[in-house]
């Protein structure tokens, strides 16, 4: 990923992670692995964990501790109603921005 992509991703990563959790509950490592599989190879695991702490504090996700065979219990995150509402606002903003950017790219106003 280039620096420009990294900077743009900073503003959208929260929505991306919430969109992943809209599909199914997941723990931090799963989310990081999924992002890397989708080409976001430069995302550090610590970035995802810090983001998960923020969305948890803001009440956008529910957290369940699940026993792990390989160590301490895992925190599994799932999107709650407040998170779904926030995610819908994110997609509305995303559509607005992407449409305007596409108009600019095509030289329109």
């Amino acid at each position: 990923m280039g620096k420009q992509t990294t900077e743009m991703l900073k503003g959208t990563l929260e929505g991306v992670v919430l969109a992943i959790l809209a599909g199914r509950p997941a723990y931090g490592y799963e989310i990081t692995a999924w992002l890397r599989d989708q080409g976001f190879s430069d995302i550090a695991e610590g970035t995802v964990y810090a983001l998960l702490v923020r969305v948890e504090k803001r009440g956008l996700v529910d957290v369940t501790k699940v026993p792990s065979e390989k160590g301490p219990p895992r925190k599994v995150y799932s999107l709650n109603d407040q998170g779904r509402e926030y995610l819908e606002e994110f997609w509305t903003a995303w559509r607005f921005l992407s449409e305007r950017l596409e108009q600019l790219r095509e030289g329109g106003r």
Side-chain angles (χ1 to χ4, degrees):
M1 264 189 305
K3 184 175 179 178
Q4 191 175 37
T5 303
T6 300
E7 290 299 318
M8 293 174 79
L9 188 57
K10 283 181 183 176
T12 57
L13 187 58
E14 186 174 281
V16 171
V17 168
L18 293 177
I20 293 168
L21 294 175
R24 68 178 181 90
Y27 53 93
Y29 180 78
E30 283 181 307
I31 294 168
T32 304
W34 186 91
L35 289 167
R36 289 179 178 161
D37 285 348
Q38 299 301 312
F40 300 107
S41 56
D42 291 346
I43 291 180
E45 201 169 329
T47 300
V48 172
Y49 282 107
L51 186 152
L52 289 169
V53 168
R54 282 197 311 272
V55 296
E56 180 183 1
K57 285 183 178 176
R58 291 172 53 204
L60 302 177
V61 295
D62 292 329
V63 179
T64 306
K65 288 190 176 184
V66 176
S68 169
E69 295 174 6
K70 297 181 179 177
R74 290 181 173 153
K75 290 175 85 172
V76 176
Y77 298 85
S78 58
L79 200 61
N80 60 26
D81 288 343
Q82 189 174 339
R84 274 186 266 289
E85 187 175 316
Y86 182 85
L87 181 59
E88 190 53 43
E89 291 171 13
F90 170 83
W91 286 128
T92 299
W94 179 260
R95 278 188 293 274
F96 174 82
L97 288 172
S98 63
E99 288 170 6
R100 297 318 175 274
L101 289 171
E102 189 63 31
Q103 286 175 352
L104 276 172
R105 189 174 75 84
E106 294 175 358
R109 297 181 128 222

